[in-house]
Amino acid sequence: MPHPAPKRPSDAPPLSFQDLILTLHAYWGAHGCAILQPYDLEMGAGTFHTATTLRALGPDPWNAAFVQPCRRPTDGRYGENPNRLGAYYQYQVILKPSPPDLQALYIGSLAAIGIDPLKHDIRFVEDDWESPTLGAWGLGWEVWCDGMEVTQFTYFQQMGGYDCKPVSGELTYGLERLAMYIQDKDSILDLAYNTPQPGMPALTYGDIFLENEKQMSKWNFEVADTDTLFDLFRKAVAECENCLAHKLPIPAYEQAIKASHVFNTLQARGVISVQERAAYMARVRDLAKGACTAWMDHNGWAA
Amino acid sequence: MTDFLLELRSEEIPARMQAKAAADLARLFTEQLAAAGLAATETQTFVTPRRLALIARGLPEATEAQSEEIKGPRTSAPPQALEGFLGKTGLQQSDLEDRDGIWFASKQTPGRDTRDVLAEAIPAIVRAFPWPKSMRWGAASTSTESLRWVRPLHGIVAIFGSDLVPCTIGDVTSGYETLGHRFHHPGVITIGGADDYAEKLRACHIIVDAEERRAIIRDGAKQLAADQGLDWILDEALVAENAGLTEWPVPLIGSFDPDFLSVPREVIQLTLATNQKYFVLESPPHANGEGDRPQGGGGGAEGAAQRLPQLAPAFICVANIDANDGGAAIVDGNRKVLAARLSDARHFWDQDRKKTLAQHAGGLARITFHEKLGTVADKVDRVARLARWLVEEGIVKVPPRNGEGDHAKHGGGVVSPSATPDETRPSVTSADAAAPPPRTGEELSRAQLATLVEQAARLAKADLVTEMVGEFPELQGVIGGYYARAEGLDPQVADAIRDHYKPVGQGDDVPTAPVTVAVSLADKLDTLVGFFLIDERPTGSRDPFALRRAALGVLEILNRNALRMGLWEAITRSLGGFAPQKLSPETGDENYEAYIAAQNDVFAKLPNFLADRLKVQQREAGVRHDLIDAVFALGGEDDLVRLLARVKALQAFIETPEGTNLLAGYKRAANILKKEDWGDPDTNGAHPEPVEGSSEGLRQAQPGRERDNSLSYTLENAEAALVAALDSAEPAARDAIANEDFAAAMAALASLRAPIDTFFEEVIVNDPDPDKRAARLRLLARIRSAVHAVADFSRIEG
């Protein structure tokens, strides 16, 4: 199948952050993906979106692409580090079953956003993906562009403890990194967010998000009331179990995601020890796996 | 004779798996062919990220025809027998020949076409391929039985001579087509056969030979470095990894901001080599210019580091393309990635140093070491007390005057482990005096050493809560050492913090600087005692708390430094550190007893565990495990250094003719005693008291006791000679053992050899006179007892 891969001309001005997203939407939309909206819960990675986790289960074909805001409280740096943020965006593509030309499709998407593979060094470097909290793993690579990891490329083998039948291909683009790359910027905060129009201000990523980073870092690391967080964790766990008892996999899964994020925040507050950490992760994994099991049952899929 | 080409083309094979995959391909191919009776004159393999290939030369066109004679039933047998035979063999009656009343058939199996053999072999190889990790993919993966490969398999080229070997595996069918370089030549290439394979691919920007790619990287990197007056640091593993990541390797050189060199060298090296797979460069020692600027700004790495070659603010990366701009964009991109990583590292370096290590250590109270063993802060407190005790007891001793510890070679760190010179070995010095901390070169008092040790122990784990170690966990200890130095702590303390995890496994440096030795030993003992106390011992291959490694570390530290430590006392001392967490006045009797039982368990099991580790550790040094058993079985020996010295003396003795004969004599005596049920061997030679519950015979065998027995008969000459020999050898052996003169102990035993031999030649033990018999059996028991003063010879093999 010939792919309409509109290669971005090398003399074109680099894409703004928002145009990068729109270009990827257009590209994957043209390749048959449903373009979804972000999941409206706090989560640490796009893989947690039900469009990835739950849809990776079962036999039905599924092709989707979406942006997922990610929150990683421990990665926050008060907006002082040019390369790290506590909240950022991933671009997720999931194709099930994984098409035979997935690598070519992916490289086509890089060409579409203006990366010339004869000028830049694109490499597939082994990186097996595992999410202990989701009971999931897959084989694949981190894709390097001139030494920078720009995408995680994974063939899911298991999700929620179940073999993937069939296997999905998952692409996770780090949007800020890609944008820094194509815009040749040294700081995330300096990224051009929009394409300025006459009479309208040019916005940088920092204009929009710097204050969020500062305040959220302060809250995550210093202010968040840990008793409240522990309480939230317990309540999310209890509610997840309540949902599972009522055979409601999606609400159960949402509660598992909430518990996971509360746990991440507790980690940023530095109140979880190494050993406790394992126990908390096991707890979240059990919830997520429980939700996956309920989802399999609900759909009548055999393990 | 014909050549065969096989190429299995897939998505990118992990670099670390490629070399073994090539070897496995050759092995499986050879096995498959051998099973069909074929062999190639030469087999070559190739591997790139996207293809695994093999060329087998000199294969015949077909396997050899086989002729086989089959014997059938008698011609006189019932017709059913003949029918059955024909049915089984697929022969016609016309194929049979009547030979003396028996049907014979001569079955001709024609040679098989090699193409057919190959067509069957290829799928068999692919399905049996032992990838460390393999996966399913695509539409076929709705079944978990679908084909597995390291990554999706896309193409098979299988050409015998110029003929296609047709085969299908999963949804892949063999053909003449392959692909060139992913970007330089994305189109299809048609391969003619084994002869044009490598060259056709080369024309399409693929170098199939991994060694050739490695050579390109080595030569290219060396040249790039030389062009800039720098030294390229050869790292063969990194060369191989880069060759495994490229089909068309192009080394490129770039630089980074020299200000980053203020960050510890280990951090930079880890960032470059491990995270980015770049080669590290050094400025030659006497080069002028920028590369010569001293490292360790901010007090990080002064001192010895200046004697080492300096890291250069440069890197070499290996691209997979001949870039259309000559590589400028690639170098610039890599430079930015590196700058981002290094600025993160520098951020940690700056942030962490805003607090002292003592302040960082406060955070350890928030980290659980193990739920049953308290926090890391608790552990640190126990280790500090135990380490101090090791010094106060004189187990770890004050170094001799001018004893420069191994801190002098600072900067070696994890990257180029420094050798530990013999002259730093501690020796006997004790000068207890309250004095101000000594300046370098002055002799430490024991109290001063204890103070340094306790300080080091209390700070040793502090770096676990620093941001740098959070980011680079493999640099725990090393980073703490840098921070200690940066805040101006005693270099011996900084070194101990840096090195206290050592030795990490066999072959690693063993600490010799006294402060480091005390902290490292105490840390490992505490770990062992703690986990044995909560009954978390290694089982089979499971050793989640790395206790075997800790035990090996203890043994190596004790041996390397010849530390004389009573294990019982050390365990007792160490256990004391755990008690307050477990016991309080309110502790119920039941808990108290359980705790006492757990403590007893540590005494029962930890020494044996260490003895087992000692056997493993000493195996390489050629020390016999049965001899370790023979000494250990006596009990009472809890000084592992002394035990090993005794074992070594025993081994030297037992391997002489004297020793072999004595062992034979001992065994003969022991066997007779056993047959006569003359008590169990006294396994406790170090304790002269009779073992409780021992038989009458054993009690009779106690030396000294029988000498009071008046004998009712006249001793034969050989008998008298043996008694005399025992009378002198027994005390001599015991005294020698007590004086730790093990060679003398062996000599004492050796003096028994001739009298024992003569005794057995000339004296009949089983004399009809019951008095004689009993006296002679007692004599044999004395032999056994005398020998057991040195070792339990019943444990010795051979």
Side-chain angles (χ1 to χ4, degrees):
Chain A
M1 180 176 81
H3 296 295
K7 191 174 154 190
R8 193 170 168 81
S10 54
D11 56 349
L15 293 169
S16 65
F17 190 74
Q18 67 192 31
D19 285 343
L20 170 63
I21 293 170
L22 293 172
T23 305
L24 288 172
H25 275 343
Y27 180 85
W28 289 107
H31 284 90
C33 288
I35 305 300
L36 304 181
Q37 300 306 318
Y39 210 79
D40 58 339
L41 285 178
E42 298 145 314
M43 51 182 67
T47 307
F48 281 83
H49 196 303
T50 53
T52 301
T53 308
L54 295 184
R55 293 285 184 160
L57 293 166
D60 302 336
W62 174 251
N63 299 293
F66 53 91
V67 173
Q68 180 59 49
C70 300
R71 293 192 184 218
R72 295 193 180 176
T74 47
D75 283 355
R77 294 288 182 272
Y78 298 83
E80 288 166 8
N81 186 301
N83 304 291
R84 278 192 198 238
L85 298 174
Y88 53 96
Y89 295 90
Q90 287 183 346
Y91 195 92
Q92 275 270 115
V93 181
I94 175 151
L95 300 168
K96 176 180 152 191
S98 64
D101 55 349
L102 185 53
Q103 282 187 311
L105 281 171
Y106 168 71
I107 286 160
S109 75
L110 293 185
I113 59 174
I115 293 179
D116 175 358
L118 285 175
K119 185 176 174 190
H120 295 289
D121 187 33
I122 308 293
R123 228 91 70 69
F124 291 82
V125 179
E126 177 192 15
D127 189 33
D128 299 340
W129 174 81
E130 187 180 12
S131 169
T133 29
L134 291 177
W137 68 277
L139 298 190
W141 310 272
E142 46 184 53
V143 183
W144 285 18
C145 178
D146 298 342
M148 162 125 58
E149 180 194 348
V150 291
T151 304
Q152 185 81 35
F153 190 131
T154 307
Y155 292 99
F156 285 156
Q157 301 294 300
Q158 275 201 338
M159 179 62 75
Y162 295 99
D163 283 333
C164 294
K165 296 187 286 187
V167 164
S168 301
E170 183 211 41
L171 305 173
T172 303
Y173 300 73
L175 284 171
E176 286 83 356
R177 285 182 174 191
L178 269 176
M180 283 170 80
Y181 205 86
I182 56 187
Q183 293 184 17
D184 194 22
K185 292 282 162 56
D186 285 332
S187 167
I188 299 173
L189 300 171
D190 295 338
L191 288 174
Y193 195 91
N194 63 351
T195 309
Q197 300 299 320
M200 311 276 271
L203 288 168
T204 66
Y205 195 97
D207 292 337
I208 301 173
F209 296 115
L210 176 58
E211 199 53 33
N212 295 47
E213 276 299 316
K214 287 181 179 172
Q215 294 192 19
M216 290 308 295
S217 294
K218 176 95 180 163
W219 185 75
N220 286 326
F221 289 120
E222 302 171 43
V223 175
D225 183 75
T226 53
D227 289 341
T228 306
L229 291 173
F230 280 119
D231 191 46
L232 281 173
F233 186 86
R234 280 190 292 273
K235 284 182 170 152
V237 169
E239 194 53 30
C240 181
E241 284 162 352
N242 181 33
C243 297
L244 289 172
H246 287 83
K247 301 193 185 311
L248 287 171
I250 293 174
Y253 182 72
E254 289 200 352
Q255 295 299 325
I257 291 178
K258 285 186 189 183
S260 173
H261 178 68
V262 173
F263 161 68
N264 289 341
T265 310
L266 281 165
Q267 277 221 282
R269 289 290 280 121
V271 290
I272 296 201
S273 72
V274 181
Q275 278 72 21
E276 286 177 312
R277 184 168 176 268
Y280 273 92
M281 285 173 69
R283 202 74 231 275
V284 175
R285 182 185 59 232
D286 290 345
L287 298 178
K289 284 175 97 164
C292 288
T293 302
W295 177 249
M296 296 282 287
D297 291 346
H298 176 81
N299 287 288
W301 295 324
Chain B
M1 290 299 178
T2 310
D3 297 343
F4 171 64
L5 166 71
L6 175 65
E7 182 198 70
L8 303 166
R9 182 171 51 80
S10 66
E11 297 179 13
E12 275 76 353
I13 305 167
R16 69 188 168 93
M17 299 180 189
Q18 292 172 15
K20 179 166 182 298
D24 285 337
L25 178 60
R27 177 177 56 79
L28 290 172
F29 181 80
T30 306
E31 284 170 10
Q32 284 287 326
L33 259 64
L38 289 174
T41 54
E42 187 197 342
T43 304
Q44 251 182 305
T45 53
F46 307 97
V47 61
T48 79
R50 296 174 75 199
R51 61 204 85 219
L52 186 55
L54 171 144
I55 289 177
R57 300 199 185 274
L59 287 169
E61 283 292 309
T63 63
E64 298 217 1
Q66 306 277 333
S67 171
E68 188 186 5
E69 191 156 80
I70 308 171
K71 186 178 169 189
R74 292 184 165 277
T75 49
S76 58
Q80 291 92 327
L82 180 62
E83 268 169 42
F85 175 70
L86 292 176
K88 202 173 67 188
T89 54
L91 296 165
Q92 306 289 324
Q93 189 163 2
S94 54
D95 298 332
L96 305 184
E97 184 189 336
D98 180 353
R99 236 187 269 164
D100 302 328
I102 296 172
W103 290 116
F104 274 91
S106 126
K107 190 171 180 180
Q108 303 295 328
T109 312
R112 286 187 71 201
D113 192 316
T114 301
R115 291 161 191 79
D116 296 338
V117 173
L118 291 167
E120 281 177 18
I122 296 164
I125 291 167
V126 168
R127 293 191 191 281
F129 211 85
W131 291 109
K133 275 190 195 169
S134 62
M135 57 167 277
R136 299 174 295 116
W137 66 92
S141 61
T142 40
S143 161
T144 48
E145 301 304 304
S146 66
L147 179 65
R148 303 183 76 92
W149 197 244
V150 62
R151 292 293 184 274
L153 179 70
H154 285 304
I156 298 174
V157 175
I159 307 171
F160 184 68
S162 58
D163 299 342
L164 183 71
V165 175
C167 62
T168 298
I169 309 160
D171 48 14
V172 184
T173 299
S174 62
Y176 289 101
E177 294 82 30
T178 187
L179 296 180
H181 189 281
R182 192 188 280 291
F183 303 114
H184 281 298
H185 198 285
V188 164
I189 313 167
T190 305
I191 302 295
D195 288 342
D196 68 354
Y197 177 67
E199 288 316 307
K200 273 207 162 153
L201 284 181
R202 186 187 299 278
C204 299
H205 278 78
I206 307 285
I207 293 164
V208 289
D209 183 0
E211 177 45 43
E212 186 181 342
R213 294 197 304 278
R214 286 197 291 269
I216 289 169
I217 293 168
R218 265 186 233 110
D219 297 347
K222 208 168 180 178
Q223 187 60 49
L224 286 169
D227 290 348
Q228 307 225 349
L230 300 173
D231 289 334
W232 173 63
I233 309 303
L234 173 65
D235 177 341
E236 244 346 295
L238 199 54
V239 169
E241 187 173 14
N242 275 290
L245 282 166
T246 48
E247 294 201 301
W248 190 260
V250 179
L252 298 166
I253 191 164
S255 60
F256 59 84
D257 185 340
D259 281 347
F260 286 126
L261 292 174
S262 63
V263 174
R265 177 186 176 115
E266 289 86 347
V267 172
I268 297 175
Q269 286 183 310
L270 205 62
T271 303
L272 263 69
T274 308
N275 296 346
Q276 292 297 132
K277 310 187 195 306
Y278 300 158
F279 293 100
V280 174
L281 298 157
E282 283 179 348
S283 305
H286 301 296
N288 293 316
E290 206 172 35
D292 212 25
R293 73 195 288 288
Q295 268 180 278
E302 288 98 13
Q306 290 175 0
R307 297 201 291 270
L308 291 167
Q310 308 294 301
L311 274 190
F315 66 91
I316 287 175
C317 62
V318 183
N320 190 31
I321 52 169
D322 257 335
N324 52 21
D325 66 350
I330 296 174
V331 169
D332 197 50
N334 279 286
R335 180 192 59 74
K336 270 163 70 174
V337 180
L338 185 60
R341 283 188 180 272
L342 290 177
S343 68
D344 228 18
R346 188 167 56 184
H347 169 79
F348 298 144
W349 173 244
D350 292 338
Q351 284 303 113
D352 287 343
R353 283 179 305 145
K354 287 180 181 167
K355 287 196 205 170
T356 62
L357 277 178
Q359 286 169 323
H360 282 296
L364 297 175
R366 283 191 285 129
I367 309 179
T368 310
F369 172 65
H370 184 280
E371 53 178 347
K372 293 181 182 166
L373 297 173
T375 65
V376 176
D378 294 330
K379 179 178 178 51
V380 164
D381 188 55
R382 288 193 304 266
V383 171
R385 288 163 192 272
L386 189 60
R388 171 178 269 281
W389 174 80
L390 288 170
V391 175
E392 287 171 347
E393 281 296 296
I395 294 166
V396 175
K397 291 181 173 142
V398 177
R401 184 169 269 275
N402 292 330
E404 221 184 343
D406 48 11
H407 63 270
K409 293 176 306 304
H410 167 259
V414 284
V415 180
S416 55
S418 46
T420 34
D422 276 335
E423 62 268 26
T424 60
R425 191 182 285 229
S427 66
V428 191
T429 311
S430 73
D432 268 313
R439 289 187 297 274
T440 310
E442 279 185 28
E443 200 164 306
L444 281 171
S445 72
R446 185 184 285 192
Q448 287 165 334
L449 178 61
T451 303
L452 288 177
V453 161
E454 177 161 357
Q455 184 189 19
R458 294 204 177 274
L459 299 177
K461 307 287 181 192
D463 67 356
L464 292 179
V465 289
T466 63
E467 296 203 51
M468 190 71 97
V469 171
E471 188 69 15
F472 300 99
E474 53 274 75
L475 292 183
Q476 62 180 10
V478 172
I479 292 301
Y482 274 101
Y483 291 154
R485 223 169 291 273
E487 59 177 275
L489 298 181
D490 190 298
Q492 299 179 77
V493 170
D495 288 343
I497 293 170
R498 183 189 64 201
D499 296 332
H500 82 280
Y501 291 102
K502 289 171 180 271
V504 183
Q506 217 143 8
D508 190 21
D509 289 346
V510 180
T512 54
V515 181
T516 311
V517 166
V519 177
S520 177
L521 182 57
D523 187 22
K524 291 168 180 63
L525 280 172
D526 176 79
T527 297
L528 287 166
V529 169
F531 284 105
F532 270 68
L533 185 64
I534 59 167
D535 203 26
E536 282 283 1
R537 285 171 290 122
T539 50
S541 59
R542 248 181 62 84
D543 184 11
F545 304 106
L547 300 187
R548 292 194 179 104
R549 194 168 77 191
L552 185 70
V554 167
L555 296 171
E556 296 208 323
I557 291 169
L558 292 176
N559 284 333
R560 176 75 173 78
N561 298 287
L563 300 188
R564 306 299 305 273
M565 185 183 79
L567 195 53
W568 304 104
E569 210 182 343
I571 292 174
T572 307
R573 193 74 196 184
S574 175
L575 278 170
F578 292 93
Q581 289 157 27
K582 303 285 278 188
L583 299 177
S584 68
E586 292 83 45
T587 307
D589 285 352
E590 204 180 287
N591 286 341
Y592 180 79
E593 274 166 27
Y595 189 69
I596 296 304
Q599 285 199 328
N600 288 340
D601 229 29
V602 177
F603 284 106
K605 290 171 180 163
L606 184 53
N608 287 326
F609 178 70
L610 284 167
D612 282 345
R613 297 292 84 207
L614 184 67
K615 286 184 228 168
V616 173
Q617 182 213 17
Q618 290 296 320
R619 193 185 298 150
E620 246 173 65
V623 177
R624 282 167 52 178
H625 64 91
D626 58 326
L627 301 184
I628 294 179
D629 273 340
V631 175
F632 197 72
L634 296 178
E637 177 57 277
D638 75 333
D639 177 332
L640 295 167
V641 168
R642 188 166 60 203
L643 180 131
L644 198 57
R646 193 157 159 181
V647 168
K648 284 179 174 168
L650 178 62
Q651 180 157 353
F653 169 61
I654 213 77
E655 286 168 1
T656 60
E658 230 98 36
T660 313
N661 285 349
L662 180 73
L663 179 60
Y666 164 87
K667 290 209 159 162
R668 193 163 168 189
N671 283 338
I672 293 170
L673 289 170
K674 197 174 163 194
K675 213 162 72 188
E676 297 295 326
D677 206 16
W678 197 264
D680 291 314
D682 174 13
T683 53
N684 218 340
H687 295 265
E689 295 303 316
V691 178
E692 206 179 326
S694 63
S695 69
E696 185 63 21
L698 181 59
R699 221 169 285 155
Q700 285 182 8
Q702 286 310 308
R705 195 175 278 259
E706 74 211 70
R707 252 168 266 162
D708 301 332
N709 291 357
S710 54
L711 289 165
S712 61
Y713 69 98
T714 310
L715 294 181
E716 290 178 32
N717 285 344
E719 213 173 353
L722 180 55
V723 169
L726 280 166
D727 284 346
S728 82
E730 263 183 322
R734 273 180 215 286
D735 290 351
I737 294 287
N739 294 329
E740 300 183 18
D741 186 349
F742 300 117
M746 301 307 153
L749 286 191
S751 72
L752 289 174
R753 197 267 284 184
I756 289 175
D757 287 354
T758 315
F759 175 82
F760 279 122
E761 276 165 32
E762 297 178 5
V763 180
I764 293 163
V765 175
N766 207 2
D767 196 274
D769 174 350
D771 279 353
K772 283 190 182 178
R773 183 168 165 276
R776 283 167 189 171
L777 284 171
R778 281 199 297 276
L779 201 50
L780 295 186
R782 276 191 72 192
I783 296 176
R784 189 170 64 186
S785 168
V787 166
H788 281 195
V790 174
D792 180 350
F793 272 45
S794 70
R795 306 267 180 161
I796 300 176
E797 293 165 7

